[in-house]
Coordinates of all heavy atoms in Angstrom, one line a residue:
M12 N 13.4 -47.2 96.2 CA 12.8 -46.6 95.0 C 11.3 -47.1 94.8 O 10.7 -46.8 93.8 CB 13.6 -47.1 93.8 CG 15.0 -46.8 93.8 SD 15.3 -45.1 93.3 CE 17.0 -44.9 93.8
Q13 N 10.7 -47.7 95.9 CA 9.4 -48.2 95.7 C 8.4 -47.2 95.4 O 7.5 -47.4 94.5 CB 9.0 -48.9 97.0 CG 9.9 -50.0 97.5 CD 9.6 -50.4 98.9 OE1 8.6 -50.0 99.5 NE2 10.5 -51.2 99.5
H14 N 8.4 -46.0 96.1 CA 7.3 -45.0 95.9 C 7.7 -44.0 94.9 O 7.1 -42.9 94.8 CB 7.0 -44.4 97.2 CG 6.5 -45.4 98.2 ND1 5.3 -46.0 98.2 CD2 7.1 -45.9 99.3 CE1 5.2 -46.8 99.2 NE2 6.3 -46.8 99.9
F15 N 8.7 -44.2 94.1 CA 9.3 -43.3 93.2 C 9.4 -44.0 91.9 O 10.2 -45.0 91.8 CB 10.7 -42.8 93.7 CG 11.4 -41.9 92.8 CD1 11.0 -40.6 92.6 CD2 12.5 -42.4 92.1 CE1 11.7 -39.8 91.8 CE2 13.2 -41.6 91.3 CZ 12.8 -40.2 91.1
D16 N 8.7 -43.6 90.9 CA 8.8 -44.2 89.6 C 9.9 -43.5 88.8 O 9.7 -42.5 88.2 CB 7.4 -44.1 88.8 CG 7.5 -44.9 87.5 OD1 8.6 -45.2 87.0 OD2 6.4 -45.3 87.1
A17 N 11.1 -44.1 88.9 CA 12.2 -43.4 88.3 C 12.1 -43.2 86.8 O 12.4 -42.2 86.3 CB 13.5 -44.3 88.6
F18 N 11.6 -44.2 86.1 CA 11.4 -44.0 84.6 C 10.5 -42.9 84.3 O 10.7 -42.1 83.4 CB 11.0 -45.3 83.9 CG 12.2 -46.3 83.7 CD1 12.2 -47.5 84.4 CD2 13.2 -46.0 82.8 CE1 13.3 -48.3 84.3 CE2 14.2 -46.9 82.6 CZ 14.3 -48.0 83.3
E19 N 9.4 -42.8 85.0 CA 8.4 -41.8 84.8 C 9.0 -40.4 85.1 O 8.9 -39.5 84.3 CB 7.2 -42.0 85.7 CG 6.1 -40.9 85.5 CD 4.9 -41.2 86.4 OE1 4.4 -42.4 86.4 OE2 4.4 -40.3 87.0
E20 N 9.8 -40.3 86.1 CA 10.5 -39.0 86.4 C 11.6 -38.7 85.4 O 11.7 -37.5 85.0 CB 11.1 -39.1 87.8 CG 10.1 -39.0 88.9 CD 9.4 -37.6 88.9 OE1 10.1 -36.6 88.8 OE2 8.2 -37.7 89.1
V21 N 12.3 -39.7 85.0 CA 13.4 -39.4 84.0 C 12.7 -38.9 82.7 O 13.2 -37.9 82.1 CB 14.2 -40.7 83.7 CG1 15.0 -40.6 82.5 CG2 15.1 -41.0 84.9
F22 N 11.7 -39.6 82.2 CA 11.1 -39.2 81.0 C 10.3 -37.9 81.1 O 10.3 -37.1 80.1 CB 10.2 -40.3 80.4 CG 11.0 -41.4 79.8 CD1 11.3 -42.6 80.5 CD2 11.5 -41.3 78.5 CE1 12.1 -43.6 79.9 CE2 12.2 -42.3 77.9 CZ 12.5 -43.4 78.6
A23 N 9.8 -37.6 82.3 CA 9.2 -36.3 82.5 C 10.2 -35.2 82.4 O 9.9 -34.1 81.8 CB 8.5 -36.3 83.8
H24 N 11.4 -35.4 82.9 CA 12.5 -34.4 82.8 C 12.9 -34.2 81.4 O 13.1 -33.1 80.9 CB 13.7 -34.8 83.6 CG 13.7 -34.4 85.1 ND1 12.9 -35.1 86.0 CD2 14.3 -33.5 85.7 CE1 13.0 -34.5 87.2 NE2 13.9 -33.5 87.0
I25 N 13.0 -35.3 80.6 CA 13.3 -35.2 79.2 C 12.3 -34.4 78.4 O 12.6 -33.5 77.6 CB 13.6 -36.6 78.6 CG1 14.8 -37.2 79.2 CG2 13.7 -36.5 77.1 CD1 15.0 -38.7 78.9
E26 N 11.0 -34.7 78.7 CA 9.9 -34.0 78.0 C 9.9 -32.6 78.3 O 9.7 -31.7 77.4 CB 8.6 -34.7 78.4 CG 8.4 -36.1 77.8 CD 8.3 -36.1 76.3 OE1 7.8 -35.1 75.7 OE2 8.7 -37.1 75.7
R27 N 10.1 -32.2 79.6 CA 10.1 -30.8 79.9 C 11.2 -30.0 79.2 O 11.1 -28.9 78.7 CB 10.2 -30.6 81.5 CG 8.9 -30.8 82.2 CD 9.0 -30.3 83.6 NE 9.9 -31.1 84.4 CZ 9.6 -32.2 85.1 NH1 8.4 -32.7 85.0 NH2 10.5 -32.8 85.8
Y28 N 12.4 -30.7 79.2 CA 13.6 -30.1 78.6 C 13.3 -29.9 77.1 O 13.6 -28.9 76.5 CB 14.8 -30.9 78.8 CG 16.1 -30.3 78.4 CD1 16.9 -29.6 79.3 CD2 16.5 -30.4 77.1 CE1 18.0 -29.0 78.9 CE2 17.7 -29.8 76.7 CZ 18.5 -29.1 77.6 OH 19.6 -28.5 77.2
L29 N 12.7 -30.9 76.5 CA 12.4 -30.9 75.0 C 11.4 -29.7 74.7 O 11.7 -29.0 73.8 CB 11.8 -32.2 74.6 CG 11.4 -32.4 73.2 CD1 12.6 -32.3 72.3 CD2 10.7 -33.7 73.0
V30 N 10.4 -29.5 75.5 CA 9.5 -28.4 75.3 C 10.1 -27.1 75.5 O 9.9 -26.2 74.7 CB 8.3 -28.6 76.3 CG1 7.4 -27.3 76.3 CG2 7.4 -29.8 76.0
E31 N 11.0 -26.9 76.5 CA 11.7 -25.7 76.8 C 12.8 -25.3 75.8 O 13.0 -24.2 75.4 CB 12.3 -25.7 78.2 CG 11.2 -25.7 79.3 CD 11.8 -25.8 80.6 OE1 13.0 -25.5 80.8 OE2 11.1 -26.1 81.6
H32 N 13.5 -26.3 75.3 CA 14.7 -26.1 74.4 C 14.6 -26.6 73.0 O 15.4 -26.3 72.2 CB 15.9 -26.7 75.1 CG 16.2 -26.2 76.4 ND1 15.7 -26.7 77.6 CD2 17.0 -25.1 76.8 CE1 16.1 -26.0 78.6 NE2 16.9 -25.0 78.2
G33 N 13.6 -27.4 72.7 CA 13.4 -27.8 71.3 C 14.2 -29.1 71.0 O 14.2 -29.5 69.8
H34 N 14.9 -29.6 71.9 CA 15.7 -30.8 71.7 C 15.9 -31.5 73.0 O 15.7 -30.9 74.1 CB 17.1 -30.5 71.0 CG 17.9 -29.6 71.8 ND1 18.7 -30.0 72.8 CD2 18.0 -28.2 71.8 CE1 19.4 -28.9 73.4 NE2 18.9 -27.8 72.8
V35 N 16.3 -32.8 72.9 CA 16.5 -33.5 74.2 C 17.8 -33.0 74.8 O 18.7 -32.5 74.2 CB 16.6 -35.1 73.9 CG1 15.3 -35.6 73.5 CG2 17.7 -35.4 73.0
P36 N 17.9 -33.2 76.1 CA 19.2 -32.8 76.8 C 20.4 -33.7 76.3 O 20.2 -34.8 75.9 CB 18.9 -33.0 78.3 CG 17.8 -34.0 78.3 CD 17.0 -33.8 77.1
R37 N 21.6 -33.1 76.5 CA 22.8 -33.9 76.1 C 22.9 -35.0 77.1 O 23.4 -36.1 76.8 CB 24.0 -33.0 76.2 CG 24.1 -32.0 75.0 CD 25.4 -31.2 75.1 NE 25.4 -30.4 76.4 CZ 26.4 -30.5 77.3 NH1 27.3 -31.4 77.2 NH2 26.3 -29.8 78.4
A38 N 22.5 -34.7 78.4 CA 22.7 -35.8 79.4 C 21.8 -35.6 80.6 O 21.2 -34.5 80.8 CB 24.2 -35.7 80.0
L39 N 21.5 -36.6 81.3 CA 20.8 -36.6 82.6 C 21.8 -36.9 83.6 O 22.5 -37.9 83.5 CB 19.7 -37.6 82.6 CG 18.5 -37.4 81.7 CD1 17.5 -38.6 81.8 CD2 17.8 -36.1 82.1
V40 N 21.8 -36.1 84.7 CA 22.7 -36.4 85.8 C 21.9 -36.9 86.9 O 20.9 -36.3 87.3 CB 23.4 -35.0 86.2 CG1 24.4 -35.3 87.3 CG2 24.1 -34.4 85.0
V41 N 22.3 -38.1 87.4 CA 21.6 -38.8 88.5 C 22.5 -39.3 89.6 O 23.7 -39.3 89.4 CB 20.8 -40.0 87.9 CG1 19.8 -39.6 86.9 CG2 21.8 -41.0 87.3
S42 N 22.0 -39.6 90.7 CA 22.7 -40.1 91.8 C 23.2 -41.6 91.5 O 22.6 -42.2 90.6 CB 21.9 -40.2 93.1 OG 20.9 -41.2 93.0
P43 N 24.2 -42.0 92.2 CA 24.7 -43.4 92.0 C 23.6 -44.4 92.2 O 23.5 -45.4 91.5 CB 25.8 -43.6 93.0 CG 26.3 -42.2 93.2 CD 25.1 -41.3 93.1
S44 N 22.8 -44.2 93.3 CA 21.7 -45.2 93.5 C 20.6 -45.2 92.5 O 20.2 -46.3 92.1 CB 21.1 -45.0 94.9 OG 20.6 -43.7 95.0
L45 N 20.3 -44.1 92.0 CA 19.3 -44.0 90.9 C 19.9 -44.6 89.6 O 19.2 -45.3 88.9 CB 18.8 -42.6 90.7 CG 17.8 -42.4 89.6 CD1 16.6 -43.3 89.8 CD2 17.4 -40.9 89.5
Y46 N 21.1 -44.3 89.3 CA 21.8 -44.9 88.1 C 21.8 -46.4 88.2 O 21.4 -47.1 87.3 CB 23.2 -44.4 88.0 CG 23.9 -45.0 86.8 CD1 23.8 -44.5 85.6 CD2 24.8 -46.1 87.0 CE1 24.4 -45.1 84.5 CE2 25.5 -46.6 86.0 CZ 25.3 -46.1 84.7 OH 26.0 -46.7 83.6
Q47 N 22.1 -46.9 89.4 CA 22.2 -48.4 89.6 C 20.8 -49.0 89.4 O 20.6 -50.0 88.8 CB 22.7 -48.8 90.9 CG 22.9 -50.2 91.1 CD 23.9 -50.8 90.1 OE1 25.0 -50.4 90.0 NE2 23.4 -51.9 89.4
W48 N 19.8 -48.3 89.9 CA 18.4 -48.8 89.8 C 18.0 -48.8 88.4 O 17.4 -49.8 87.9 CB 17.5 -48.0 90.7 CG 16.1 -48.5 90.8 CD1 15.6 -49.4 91.7 CD2 15.0 -48.2 89.9 NE1 14.3 -49.7 91.4 CE2 13.9 -48.9 90.4 CE3 14.8 -47.3 88.9 CZ2 12.6 -48.8 89.8 CZ3 13.6 -47.2 88.2 CH2 12.5 -48.0 88.7
L49 N 18.3 -47.8 87.7 CA 17.9 -47.7 86.2 C 18.6 -48.8 85.5 O 18.0 -49.4 84.6 CB 18.3 -46.3 85.7 CG 17.4 -45.1 86.1 CD1 18.0 -43.8 85.7 CD2 16.0 -45.3 85.5
C50 N 19.9 -49.0 85.7 CA 20.7 -50.0 85.1 C 20.1 -51.4 85.3 O 20.0 -52.2 84.4 CB 22.1 -50.0 85.5 SG 23.1 -48.6 84.8
D51 N 19.8 -51.7 86.6 CA 19.2 -53.0 86.9 C 17.9 -53.2 86.2 O 17.7 -54.3 85.6 CB 18.9 -53.1 88.4 CG 20.2 -53.2 89.3 OD1 21.3 -53.4 88.7 OD2 20.1 -52.9 90.5
C52 N 17.1 -52.2 86.1 CA 15.8 -52.4 85.3 C 16.1 -52.6 83.9 O 15.4 -53.4 83.2 CB 14.9 -51.2 85.6 SG 14.3 -51.0 87.2
R53 N 17.0 -51.8 83.3 CA 17.3 -51.9 81.9 C 18.0 -53.2 81.5 O 17.8 -53.7 80.4 CB 18.1 -50.7 81.5 CG 17.2 -49.4 81.6 CD 17.9 -48.1 81.3 NE 18.7 -48.2 80.1 CZ 19.9 -47.8 79.9 NH1 20.6 -47.3 81.0 NH2 20.5 -47.8 78.8
K54 N 18.7 -53.8 82.4 CA 19.4 -55.0 82.1 C 18.4 -56.1 81.8 O 18.6 -57.0 80.9 CB 20.3 -55.5 83.3 CG 21.6 -54.7 83.4 CD 22.3 -55.2 84.6 CE 23.6 -54.3 84.8 NZ 24.3 -54.7 86.0
E55 N 17.2 -56.0 82.5 CA 16.2 -57.0 82.2 C 15.6 -56.8 80.8 O 15.2 -57.8 80.2 CB 15.1 -56.8 83.3 CG 15.5 -57.2 84.7 CD 14.5 -56.8 85.7 OE1 13.4 -56.5 85.4 OE2 14.9 -56.8 86.9
T56 N 15.5 -55.6 80.3 CA 14.8 -55.4 79.1 C 15.8 -55.4 77.9 O 15.4 -55.7 76.8 CB 14.1 -54.0 79.0 OG1 15.1 -53.0 79.2 CG2 13.0 -53.9 80.1
L57 N 17.1 -55.2 78.1 CA 18.1 -55.2 77.0 C 18.5 -56.7 76.6 O 19.0 -56.9 75.6 CB 19.3 -54.5 77.4 CG 19.2 -53.0 77.5 CD1 20.5 -52.3 78.1 CD2 18.9 -52.3 76.2
G58 N 18.2 -57.6 77.5 CA 18.5 -59.0 77.2 C 20.0 -59.3 77.2 O 20.8 -58.4 77.5
D59 N 20.4 -60.5 77.0 CA 21.8 -60.9 77.1 C 22.5 -60.1 78.1 O 22.0 -59.9 79.2 CB 22.4 -60.7 75.7 CG 21.8 -61.7 74.7 OD1 21.3 -62.8 75.1 OD2 21.9 -61.4 73.5
T60 N 23.7 -59.8 77.9 CA 24.6 -59.0 78.8 C 24.9 -57.7 78.2 O 25.8 -57.6 77.3 CB 25.9 -59.8 79.2 OG1 25.5 -61.1 79.6 CG2 26.6 -59.1 80.2
P61 N 24.2 -56.6 78.6 CA 24.6 -55.3 78.0 C 25.9 -54.9 78.4 O 26.4 -55.2 79.5 CB 23.5 -54.4 78.6 CG 22.9 -55.1 79.8 CD 23.2 -56.6 79.6
T62 N 26.6 -54.1 77.6 CA 27.9 -53.6 77.9 C 27.7 -52.4 78.8 O 26.7 -51.8 78.9 CB 28.7 -53.2 76.6 OG1 28.0 -52.1 76.0 CG2 28.8 -54.4 75.7
A63 N 28.8 -51.9 79.4 CA 28.8 -50.7 80.2 C 28.4 -49.5 79.3 O 27.7 -48.6 79.8 CB 30.2 -50.5 80.9
E64 N 28.8 -49.6 78.1 CA 28.5 -48.5 77.1 C 27.0 -48.4 76.9 O 26.4 -47.4 76.8 CB 29.3 -48.6 75.8 CG 29.1 -47.5 74.9 CD 29.6 -46.2 75.3 OE1 30.5 -46.2 76.2 OE2 29.2 -45.1 74.9
D65 N 26.4 -49.6 76.7 CA 24.9 -49.7 76.5 C 24.2 -49.0 77.7 O 23.1 -48.4 77.5 CB 24.5 -51.1 76.4 CG 24.9 -51.8 75.2 OD1 25.2 -51.1 74.2 OD2 25.0 -53.1 75.2
L66 N 24.7 -49.2 78.9 CA 24.0 -48.7 80.1 C 24.3 -47.2 80.3 O 23.6 -46.6 81.2 CB 24.4 -49.6 81.3 CG 24.0 -51.0 81.2 CD1 24.6 -51.8 82.4 CD2 22.5 -51.2 81.2
R67 N 25.2 -46.7 79.6 CA 25.5 -45.2 79.8 C 24.5 -44.4 79.0 O 24.5 -43.2 79.1 CB 26.9 -44.9 79.4 CG 27.9 -45.3 80.4 CD 29.3 -44.7 80.1 NE 30.2 -45.6 80.7 CZ 31.2 -46.3 80.1 NH1 31.3 -46.2 78.8 NH2 32.0 -47.1 80.8
W68 N 23.8 -45.0 78.1 CA 22.8 -44.3 77.2 C 21.4 -44.8 77.5 O 21.2 -46.0 77.6 CB 23.2 -44.5 75.8 CG 24.5 -43.8 75.4 CD1 25.7 -44.4 75.5 CD2 24.7 -42.5 75.0 NE1 26.7 -43.5 75.1 CE2 26.1 -42.3 74.8 CE3 23.9 -41.4 74.8 CZ2 26.7 -41.1 74.4 CZ3 24.4 -40.2 74.3 CH2 25.8 -40.1 74.2
L69 N 20.5 -43.8 77.5 CA 19.1 -44.2 77.6 C 18.4 -43.9 76.3 O 18.4 -42.7 75.8 CB 18.5 -43.3 78.8 CG 17.0 -43.5 79.1 CD1 16.8 -44.9 79.6 CD2 16.6 -42.5 80.1
D70 N 17.8 -44.9 75.8 CA 17.0 -44.7 74.5 C 15.7 -44.0 74.9 O 15.0 -44.5 75.8 CB 16.7 -46.0 73.8 CG 17.9 -46.5 73.1 OD1 18.6 -45.7 72.5 OD2 18.2 -47.7 73.2
T71 N 15.3 -43.0 74.2 CA 14.0 -42.3 74.4 C 13.3 -42.2 73.0 O 14.0 -42.4 72.0 CB 14.2 -40.9 74.9 OG1 14.6 -40.0 73.9 CG2 15.2 -40.9 76.1
P72 N 12.1 -41.9 73.0 CA 11.4 -41.7 71.7 C 12.0 -40.6 70.9 O 11.8 -40.5 69.7 CB 10.0 -41.4 72.1 CG 9.8 -41.9 73.4 CD 11.2 -41.8 74.1
H73 N 12.8 -39.7 71.5 CA 13.4 -38.6 70.8 C 14.9 -38.7 70.5 O 15.5 -37.8 70.1 CB 13.1 -37.3 71.7 CG 11.7 -37.2 72.1 ND1 10.7 -36.8 71.3 CD2 11.2 -37.3 73.3 CE1 9.6 -36.8 71.9 NE2 9.8 -37.1 73.2
G74 N 15.4 -39.8 70.8 CA 16.9 -40.1 70.7 C 17.5 -40.5 71.9 O 16.9 -40.6 73.0
K75 N 18.8 -40.8 71.9 CA 19.6 -41.3 73.0 C 20.0 -40.1 73.9 O 20.4 -39.0 73.4 CB 20.8 -42.1 72.6 CG 20.5 -43.4 72.0 CD 21.7 -44.2 71.8 CE 21.4 -45.6 71.3 NZ 22.5 -46.5 71.4
V76 N 20.0 -40.4 75.2 CA 20.4 -39.4 76.2 C 21.5 -40.1 77.1 O 21.2 -41.2 77.6 CB 19.3 -38.8 77.0 CG1 19.7 -37.9 78.1 CG2 18.2 -38.2 76.2
R77 N 22.6 -39.4 77.3 CA 23.7 -40.0 78.1 C 23.3 -39.9 79.6 O 22.7 -38.9 80.0 CB 24.9 -39.2 77.8 CG 26.2 -39.8 78.5 CD 27.4 -39.2 77.9 NE 27.4 -37.7 78.0 CZ 28.0 -37.0 79.0 NH1 28.6 -37.6 79.9 NH2 27.9 -35.7 79.0
L78 N 23.6 -40.9 80.4 CA 23.4 -40.9 81.8 C 24.8 -40.6 82.5 O 25.8 -41.2 82.2 CB 22.9 -42.2 82.3 CG 21.5 -42.5 81.9 CD1 21.1 -44.0 82.3 CD2 20.5 -41.6 82.5
V79 N 24.8 -39.6 83.4 CA 26.0 -39.2 84.1 C 25.7 -39.4 85.6 O 24.6 -39.0 86.1 CB 26.3 -37.8 83.8 CG1 27.5 -37.3 84.6 CG2 26.6 -37.6 82.3
I80 N 26.7 -39.9 86.3 CA 26.5 -40.1 87.8 C 27.2 -38.9 88.5 O 28.3 -38.5 88.2 CB 27.2 -41.4 88.2 CG1 26.6 -42.6 87.5 CG2 27.2 -41.5 89.7 CD1 27.3 -43.9 87.7
D81 N 26.5 -38.4 89.5 CA 27.0 -37.3 90.3 C 26.8 -37.8 91.8 O 25.6 -37.9 92.2 CB 26.3 -36.0 90.1 CG 27.0 -34.8 90.9 OD1 27.6 -35.1 92.0 OD2 26.8 -33.7 90.4
E82 N 27.8 -38.1 92.5 CA 27.8 -38.7 93.8 C 27.2 -37.6 94.8 O 26.8 -38.0 95.9 CB 29.1 -39.2 94.3 CG 29.5 -40.4 93.4 CD 30.8 -41.0 93.9 OE1 31.4 -40.6 94.9 OE2 31.3 -41.9 93.2
R83 N 27.2 -36.4 94.5 CA 26.7 -35.4 95.4 C 25.2 -35.3 95.4 O 24.6 -34.6 96.3 CB 27.3 -34.0 95.1 CG 28.8 -34.0 95.2 CD 29.4 -32.7 94.6 NE 29.1 -32.8 93.1 CZ 29.4 -31.8 92.3 NH1 29.9 -30.7 92.7 NH2 29.1 -32.0 91.0
L84 N 24.5 -35.9 94.5 CA 23.1 -35.8 94.4 C 22.3 -36.7 95.4 O 22.8 -37.8 95.7 CB 22.6 -36.1 93.0 CG 23.0 -35.2 91.8 CD1 22.5 -35.7 90.5 CD2 22.5 -33.7 92.1
D85 N 21.2 -36.2 95.8 CA 20.3 -37.1 96.6 C 19.8 -38.2 95.7 O 19.7 -38.1 94.5 CB 19.2 -36.3 97.2 CG 19.6 -35.3 98.3 OD1 20.6 -35.6 98.9 OD2 18.9 -34.3 98.4
P86 N 19.4 -39.3 96.3 CA 19.0 -40.5 95.5 C 17.9 -40.2 94.4 O 17.9 -40.8 93.4 CB 18.4 -41.4 96.6 CG 19.2 -41.1 97.8 CD 19.4 -39.6 97.7
F87 N 17.0 -39.2 94.6 CA 15.9 -39.0 93.7 C 16.1 -37.8 92.8 O 15.2 -37.4 92.1 CB 14.6 -39.0 94.4 CG 14.4 -40.2 95.3 CD1 14.4 -40.1 96.7 CD2 14.2 -41.4 94.7 CE1 14.2 -41.2 97.5 CE2 14.0 -42.5 95.5 CZ 14.0 -42.4 96.9
D88 N 17.2 -37.1 92.9 CA 17.5 -35.9 92.1 C 17.8 -36.3 90.7 O 18.6 -37.3 90.4 CB 18.6 -35.1 92.7 CG 18.2 -34.4 94.0 OD1 17.0 -34.2 94.2 OD2 19.2 -33.9 94.7
I89 N 17.3 -35.5 89.7 CA 17.6 -35.7 88.3 C 17.9 -34.3 87.8 O 17.0 -33.4 87.9 CB 16.5 -36.4 87.6 CG1 16.1 -37.7 88.2 CG2 16.8 -36.5 86.1 CD1 14.8 -38.3 87.6
L90 N 19.0 -34.1 87.1 CA 19.4 -32.8 86.5 C 19.5 -33.1 85.0 O 20.0 -34.1 84.6 CB 20.7 -32.3 87.1 CG 20.7 -32.1 88.6 CD1 22.1 -31.6 89.1 CD2 19.6 -31.1 89.1
T91 N 19.3 -32.0 84.2 CA 19.5 -32.1 82.8 C 20.6 -31.2 82.4 O 20.8 -30.1 83.0 CB 18.2 -31.7 82.0 OG1 17.7 -30.4 82.5 CG2 17.1 -32.7 82.2
E92 N 21.3 -31.6 81.4 CA 22.4 -30.8 80.8 C 22.1 -30.5 79.4 O 21.7 -31.3 78.7 CB 23.8 -31.5 80.9 CG 24.3 -31.6 82.3 CD 25.7 -32.2 82.2 OE1 26.2 -32.8 81.2 OE2 26.4 -32.2 83.3

């Protein structure tokens, strides 16, 4: 994930969806490796020991978005629902 800024890409997908639909997506669908990378990064910022439920939701300036894992996706694919 070195040359891929996952948070930048995730938030760019959310912003595009917001512009096109007028609201944030219900969910972002990501690969297992991208989900794990996002969780690892967020564990550092959430402090203490976040629950699995905490890690299933991504806080954005526009509200919470659920993260969904799809094992068929390539590591850097992000889909919106």
